[in-house]
Amino acid sequence: MGFVAMMLTAVVVVHLYLWRRLVRASTIRGSRPRRVLTWVLLAPAVVMVVAFLGGRLGIGMDVERVVAWPGYLWLAVMFYLFVFGLVMEVPRAVATFVVSRRRRTAEPAAAAEPVDGESAPVDEVVLAGAAAGGGATAHGTATTGRPVAEGVAAAVPAIDRRLFISRTASAVVAAGALATVGYGVSRALGDPVIERVPVRLPRLDPRMSGLRIAVVSDIHLGPLTGRGHTERIVRMINGLEADAVTIVGDLVDGTVAELGRLAAPLRSLESRYGAYFVTGNHEYYTAAGPQEWIEELRSLGVRPLRNERVEIRHAGAVLDLAGVNDLNGVPSGDGPDFDKALGGRDANRPVVLMAHQPVQVTQAAAHGVDLQLSGHTHGGQMAPINLFVPLQQPVVAGLASVPRTGGGDTQVYVTRGAGFWGPPVRVGAPPEITLIELRT
């Protein structure tokens, strides 16, 4: 509930900011454009909240599919309206300052000009009313004998320039957000990028050099994906001809009853030494929990590694492939157990660990792991979110290393994931399937 409350608060705050900057600043009070634009902000916000809370409200996957597309797309548009709005604050402020300064400079000069032998400013209330009402007092004069229309003519351009600045800034913000989201949708719904990454493991038996491990994570089967999403990923993985396939968590965003049909193509995964799976945080968010998916994946020929390991025997050499549960299993007593997964093994041979979250690499290093395979971050999914991922995770994407207990380093590879969560949008972080090639 705390996370939901935080998200709802953020949505309200961001929409208030957007209304103030994009609607109020660029429209006239009480005007039809202001009313229309207010509803343009409010209506999709309501749909977005329903889409976000759909699973928690128990509205069913069929309804979720209806509201998810407009709701999550608006979440992306809202986000980039906010980002571009913040970027435009500086040029908007500079332009407004320049206009205001010019107006202040022009006012004393206008007041000093003799009008019918006198010099007196036109009443400010009359000017404001004339500017807003389209110059209704143009035939009248000020009490000094100075024609009011002359004062209006001096005041209107400055007021119009400020409105022009606001409308121009709003147009730039809207165009930038929509263009960015459009680009992001094309990336998210397109083919994942194949990343081929050689990784040197000093303890690897030379006979295993060249062993290939396909890594995929964060497929996120859900209301915005179809069976074709899974079929494409399976087809691309099979094209890599990997020796082993690892699915590093966050496979689903729903129950087996809702999404089992979408996961069925995983049965066709091909590799020499099998396909393996570990839980991610989203498996623990489903209504029935992760256990039903553990059994479903077993029936599809994908072996879950539940705080356990298997031996990969290749060309007469052996490598340990281990997997630990996600940290979100801790509250239910189903969290990671490194001692169980790695205890009692031959310390002279290398071990590759599947762990959904990169932050688990600290414990992996303490247990002498050579290489950890992770996902979770999506590479930030929508820039500039990637700049904030390090606040929670040590690696955003790619290969990194941390010192290992007893000397040497534990390497961690973080894949950007093959799917998306929430908005079907990826900016600066294209979807990815990785082929790790182990080297001595």
Side-chain angles (χ1 to χ4, degrees), residues 11-350:
V11 167
V12 171
V13 170
V14 170
H15 277 80
L16 285 174
Y17 169 81
L18 295 179
W19 182 84
R20 180 173 178 271
R21 274 308 192 201
L22 304 183
V23 178
R24 192 185 74 172
S26 59
T27 58
I28 298 172
R29 180 183 299 176
S31 66
R32 183 176 181 181
R34 176 171 291 192
R35 292 194 298 271
V36 170
L37 289 175
T38 298
W39 279 106
V40 166
L41 278 179
L42 181 60
V46 173
V47 177
M48 181 186 69
V49 171
V50 173
F52 181 75
L53 298 179
R56 295 174 174 85
L57 296 175
I59 64 176
M61 188 61 67
D62 290 338
V63 178
E64 280 193 68
R65 288 191 176 97
V66 173
V67 300
W69 278 103
Y72 282 122
L73 279 175
W74 178 251
L75 177 58
V77 172
M78 178 199 75
F79 174 73
Y80 281 110
L81 284 174
F82 181 66
V83 170
F84 278 94
L86 293 180
V87 171
M88 285 299 296
E89 287 292 347
V90 172
R92 181 202 295 264
V94 170
T96 301
F97 171 77
V98 170
V99 167
S100 298
R101 184 175 181 181
R102 287 180 178 176
R103 187 187 66 177
R104 288 194 299 268
T105 303
E107 282 177 348
E113 294 178 4
V115 180
D116 295 335
E118 297 184 38
S119 177
V122 178
D123 185 271
E124 293 181 0
V125 175
V126 176
L127 272 179
T137 59
H139 63 279
T141 57
T143 55
T144 61
R146 180 183 182 183
V148 175
E150 294 181 14
V152 173
V156 168
I159 296 172
D160 287 349
R161 283 195 292 270
R162 289 197 298 272
L163 190 60
F164 175 78
I165 290 170
S166 294
R167 289 178 175 173
T168 300
S170 296
V172 170
V173 169
L178 292 175
T180 302
V181 171
Y183 166 79
V185 169
S186 69
R187 296 297 292 175
L189 300 183
D191 288 352
V193 175
I194 299 295
E195 300 284 2
R196 299 176 184 271
V197 182
V199 177
R200 181 177 175 273
L201 300 184
R203 291 195 296 179
L204 186 71
D205 190 306
R207 292 173 294 178
M208 295 197 89
S209 185
L211 187 78
R212 294 168 299 179
I213 302 175
V215 184
V216 65
S217 181
D218 302 279
I219 296 174
H220 284 289
L221 301 179
L224 295 184
T225 60
R227 186 184 174 98
H229 177 59
T230 318
E231 290 175 340
R232 175 173 56 187
I233 290 171
V234 169
R235 182 175 65 252
M236 294 182 70
I237 290 175
N238 289 346
L240 297 176
E241 299 181 345
D243 295 304
V245 175
T246 57
I247 304 173
V248 199
D250 279 9
L251 172 65
V252 295
D253 285 308
T255 65
V256 171
E258 295 168 331
L259 303 173
R261 181 181 63 84
L262 276 59
L266 294 175
R267 186 188 302 275
S268 301
L269 281 171
E270 299 172 358
S271 64
R272 183 181 299 182
Y273 302 122
Y276 303 89
F277 169 80
V278 292
T279 55
N281 52 307
H282 279 252
E283 274 73 48
Y284 294 93
Y285 299 156
T286 64
Q291 189 56 43
E292 66 165 5
W293 278 108
I294 298 303
E295 300 305 322
E296 181 70 10
L297 288 170
R298 283 200 178 102
S299 73
L300 296 175
V302 178
R303 177 172 177 175
L305 294 180
R306 307 275 288 158
N307 296 322
E308 57 186 320
R309 67 179 180 272
V310 295
E311 293 181 346
I312 303 295
R313 297 184 175 273
H314 178 77
V318 183
L319 173 144
D320 287 330
L321 178 65
V324 291
N325 299 347
D326 185 67
L327 292 166
N328 278 67
V330 172
S332 60
D334 193 44
D337 189 333
F338 284 81
D339 290 332
K340 182 179 177 182
L342 300 170
R345 53 175 296 275
D346 184 350
N348 292 319
R349 65 192 189 200

Side-chain angles (χ1 to χ4, degrees), residues 348-372:
N348 292 319
R349 65 192 189 200
V351 57
V352 175
L353 175 71
M354 299 167 60
H356 179 62
Q357 299 194 38
V359 73
Q360 293 174 278
V361 71
T362 302
Q363 287 180 279
H367 285 80
V369 169
D370 295 270
L371 172 64
Q372 176 176 310

